[in-house]
């Protein structure tokens, strides 16, 4: 059986199976993947197993993971798929001692979205995880709060006192992020189009520490050589806003954000940023591997799925940011901390 062989002989490392890896930003930016192909890429499940279909170098690949803890499929076994005709492919399970083939067929809904994948005699159902091209999951939102509830939570957050120990450290001088030449501001928490369904800030202006702002300017200049610029989704967050976000989270979701009372957020220091890319020629934000605050496997910095272009752009962003003093985190490909080894003081300066 196809998957019995996958779980045994292939674990030793067959010739066609390699560990998932990133596309080097030294190469030319990959071409975009046609929409009809994007519509079948993604996560499929069935028979107690999970597979991922991705595009790589113009071809499709099937990624099979052995353990649920491999959240980003970075340790998955990769099987190239040879196209036979529209939505029909051949998987060649070749090894030094044996070899077999399995037909791979995709089924689409009337709108052209892939909804199932048949591998040999096994059927895997599609699970939609986001809102980028080819995905159609609902936008993620926490349970709604009434206007009265928001007013009460804002009052409680504004009256709360930041713990004294969070004030220790080097204090950043906050500057308007719009002063960084070419930086595109898209304040996700300054408007209602975010996972809370309501603005957390009093305006759509964003602020950042002056040293981090200078570093962002260098990143901006670096990216210009590739034809891209930085989009700033979030930056400095007053401690009171972290408190507000914590109050707004459902009881069973409090762990999704740092506890403002015991740890605070790196955003409180003015030296953490959430960023993406835009095209310098058009001014439009590029389609990245996932959207901001998307609670799915695609949020991980090592997520092995998507398209060659999406992985390239994500890695270009990461390498460019890290050239100038920022450090990314594994949980969110868009989040970067400036000089994280520095003990930055947390701030509760109100935003204008």
């Amino acid at each position: 059986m196809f998957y019995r062989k996958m779980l045994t002989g292939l674990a030793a490392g067959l010739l066609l199976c390699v560990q998932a890896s990133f596309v080097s930003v030294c190469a030319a930016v990959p071409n975009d993947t046609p929409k009809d192909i994007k519509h079948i890429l993604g996560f499929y499940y069935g028979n107690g197993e999970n597979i991922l279909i991705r595009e790589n170098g113009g071809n499709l690949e099937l990624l099979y993971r052995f353990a649920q803890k491999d959240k980003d499929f970075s340790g998955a076994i990769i099987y190239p798929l040879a196209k036979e005709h529209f939505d029909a492919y051949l998987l060649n399970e070749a090894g030094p001692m044996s070899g077999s083939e399995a037909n791979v067929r995709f089924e689409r809904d009337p709108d052209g979205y892939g909804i199932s994948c048949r591998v040999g005699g096994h059927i895997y159902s599609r699970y939609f995880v986001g809102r980028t091209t080819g995905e159609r999951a609902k936008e993620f939102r926490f349970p709604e709060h009434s206007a009265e509830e928001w007013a009460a939570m804002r009052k409680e957050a504004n009256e709360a006192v930041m713990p004294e120990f969070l004030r220790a450290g080097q204090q950043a001088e906050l500057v308007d992020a719009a002063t960084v030449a070419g930086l595109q501001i898209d304040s996700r928490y300054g408007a209602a189009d975010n996972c809370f369904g309501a603005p957390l800030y009093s305006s759509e202006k964003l602020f950042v520490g002056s040293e981090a702002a200078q570093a962002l300017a260098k990143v901006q200049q670096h990216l210009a050589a590739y034809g891209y610029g930085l989009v700033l989704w979030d930056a400095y967050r007053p401690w009171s806003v972290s408190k507000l976000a914590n109050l707004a989270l459902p009881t069973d979701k409090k762990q999704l954000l740092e506890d403002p009372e015991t740890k605070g957020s790196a955003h409180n220091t003015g030296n953490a940023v959430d960023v993406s890319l835009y095209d310098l020629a058009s001014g439009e934000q590029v389609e990245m591997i996932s959207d901001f605050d998307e609670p799915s496997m695609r949020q991980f910095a090592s997520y092995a799925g998507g398209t060659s272009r999406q992985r390239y752009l994500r890695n270009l962003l990461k390498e460019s940011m890290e050239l100038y003093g920022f450090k990314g985190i594994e949980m969110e490909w868009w989040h970067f901390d400036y000089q994280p080894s520095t003990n930055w003081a947390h701030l509760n300066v109100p935003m204008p």
Side-chain angles (χ1 to χ4, degrees), residues 12 27 31-32 36 131 138 176 185 223 253 283 290-291 312:
N31 293 326
D32 201 7
D36 67 310
R131 299 290 296 172
K138 293 181 179 179
D176 189 337
I185 307 297
L223 285 169
K253 296 291 190 296
S290 79
D291 197 3
Y312 172 96

Side-chain angles (χ1 to χ4, degrees), residues 187-251:
S187 177
R188 293 299 182 93
Y189 297 132
D193 187 16
N194 59 59
C195 58
F196 292 96
L200 300 185
Y201 301 145
S202 57
S203 79
E204 295 189 33
K205 283 188 174 183
L206 290 177
F207 295 83
V208 66
S210 59
E211 293 182 33
Q214 293 172 22
L216 287 174
K218 294 176 181 178
V219 177
Q220 182 76 12
Q221 293 172 354
H222 177 80
L223 285 169
Y226 295 86
Y228 299 103
L230 280 174
V231 177
L232 187 62
W233 283 334
D234 195 27
Y236 168 64
R237 184 183 306 160
W239 181 86
S240 62
V241 174
S242 290
K243 180 70 175 179
L244 172 63
N246 180 266
L247 292 171
L249 286 172
T251 302

Side-chain angles (χ1 to χ4, degrees), residues 6 136 289 306:
M6 184 182 290
R136 60 174 189 184
I289 205 157

Side-chain angles (χ1 to χ4, degrees), residues 246-261:
N246 180 266
L247 292 171
L249 286 172
T251 302
D252 62 344
K253 296 291 190 296
K254 300 293 186 186
Q255 76 283 359
L256 294 180
L257 292 175
E258 299 93 338
D259 185 343
E261 302 291 344

